[in-house]
Amino acid sequence: MLEEVERWLTARSWSAGDRPVQHLLSAKHATGQSVSVVLPALDEEATVGDIVAVIRRELVLGVPLVDEIVVVDSGSSDRTAEVAAAAGARVVHRDAILPRIPAVPGKGEVLWRSLLVTGGDIVCFVDADLREFSADFVSGIVGPLLTDPDVHLVKAMYDRPLGAAPGQGGRVTELMARPLLNMHWPQLAGFVQPLGGEYAARRSLLERLPFPVGYGVELGMLVDALHLVGLDALAQVDVGVRVHRHQDGRALGRMAAAIYRTAQLRLARGHLVRPTLTQFERGVDGFEPHTYAVDTEERPPMTEITEYATRRVA
C-alpha cells in the first residue's frame, strides 16, 4: 500500500460514533448546510418503508439533521411508491424527472436525475434493499461533511455477511473492483467498500461528475472524485453491518462487466471494445447462451444540463 494511502487511512477513516448526532446538529446550524437523503428504488416494497421510517423518526422528527427524504422510483411493479410515501418520503418517478431526455434502466441514471429534485447542499444516497437499518448509515456518513469543510465525499464501510458467513458479501468488490482499483488507482486502495451504495457528497462535487447509468456508478464516482478533489477530500466511516438481499451469480457477472467497462473508459477514453457479456444457462438442449448489453452510457455533469442551471438561478 502506498504511504499516502496509509496516512489517509489514519486521517480519513472514522467510526459513526466519533461524531454524536447532537454535535452534528450544532455543526449543521453553524454552517447552514441542508441535507437530502435519496433512496433509489426498484421493487423494494419489503424494505423501503422501514428505511424511510427510521430516517424520519430519528433524523427528521427526533434530531432534525435531515431536511428531505426522497425516494426515486425507477419503474417498480410492486407497491414501492405507496409504501415509501406512507412512511413519510417524497416519491418521484424517474421518468417524471427531465422528461426531454428519455430515461434508461440503471441505478446511476436514477442517482443522476435525483440531483434535479433535491435541494440539499449535502446529498446522501442509501440503497433501498437494506434490512435491520440503522440511522447511523445516514448520520455517520453525513457527519464529516457537516464538520470538516475539506471533506467532499464520504463512503460507508461495514461488514457484509453472506447468509450465515460473516464478511463474505461484496463478491464483485473482491473479484473485480478491488483488483482494478489497486492496479490502476492505488490511491483508492484504502476504501473498504468502494462499491457500497451508501455514501454522501457535497452537491458542489456531484453536479460536476459524469454518472455511469448502471452499476458502474460507484466506481466511476470514486475515480472521478479522486481526480477532481484529491484523496484527502475523500473519507470513509464505519457504520457496522450491512444486511441486504444478495444477487445470483449471473447478476453479479453483469455487475462486474459494467464495472470493468466503467474502469476501462476512464483508463483509455476512445478505445472501444464490444460492450456485451454472454452467460450460459442449461436448457432442454444443453447450455444455451444469453447475451446482455453492458452499461456504457454515461450522463454528463449536471452543470451541463440547462434545466439544472435554470433551477439554480431561480
Side-chain angles (χ1 to χ4, degrees), residues 160-217:
R160 293 183 66 181
L162 181 62
Q168 296 301 307
R171 291 161 288 173
V172 176
T173 292
E174 300 303 331
L175 296 175
M176 177 59 71
R178 200 177 306 285
L180 281 171
L181 292 175
N182 276 263
M183 288 187 290
H184 299 299
W185 295 281
Q187 286 179 296
L188 298 174
F191 277 94
V192 176
Q193 296 292 352
L195 300 185
E198 289 69 48
Y199 48 99
R202 299 192 188 282
R203 178 176 294 272
S204 57
L205 171 62
L206 292 173
E207 65 188 12
R208 291 187 288 155
L209 296 176
F211 277 61
V213 299
Y215 286 116
V217 63

Side-chain angles (χ1 to χ4, degrees), residues 10 33 68 98 124 161 230 258 260 268 280:
T10 300
Q33 298 177 92
E68 62 176 348
L98 199 61
C124 175
Y260 177 75
F280 294 87

Side-chain angles (χ1 to χ4, degrees), residues 30-49:
T31 60
Q33 298 177 92
S34 54
V35 178
S36 299
V37 176
V38 173
L39 284 77
L42 176 63
D43 294 330
E44 305 295 357
E45 173 186 349
T47 51
V48 68

Side-chain angles (χ1 to χ4, degrees), residues 8 12 14 122-123 125 140-146 148-156 188 191 193-194 196 198-206 209 211 217-226 228-237:
W8 177 85
R12 287 289 188 253
W14 297 292
I122 295 169
V123 182
F125 298 118
I141 58 178
V142 165
L145 296 164
L146 289 171
D148 189 337
D150 294 328
V151 174
H152 290 256
L153 184 148
V154 183
K155 297 279 293 189
L188 298 174
F191 277 94
Q193 296 292 352
E198 289 69 48
Y199 48 99
R202 299 192 188 282
R203 178 176 294 272
S204 57
L205 171 62
L206 292 173
L209 296 176
F211 277 61
V217 63
E218 274 83 24
L219 183 134
M221 190 175 294
L222 261 188
V223 170
D224 293 340
L226 174 68
L228 270 177
V229 296
L231 180 60
D232 283 341
L234 313 180
Q236 59 186 350
V237 172

Side-chain angles (χ1 to χ4, degrees), residues 74 94-95 101-110 113 212-214 295 297-299:
S74 56
R94 174 199 63 195
D95 296 343
I101 300 178
V104 297
K107 178 183 179 182
E109 177 83 354
V110 173
R113 290 175 186 263
V213 299
D295 294 318
E297 186 172 356
E298 298 194 2
R299 295 306 191 188

Side-chain angles (χ1 to χ4, degrees), residues 42-57:
L42 176 63
D43 294 330
E44 305 295 357
E45 173 186 349
T47 51
V48 68
D50 290 341
I51 298 170
V52 170
V54 169
I55 298 171
R56 185 169 184 270
R57 182 179 66 248

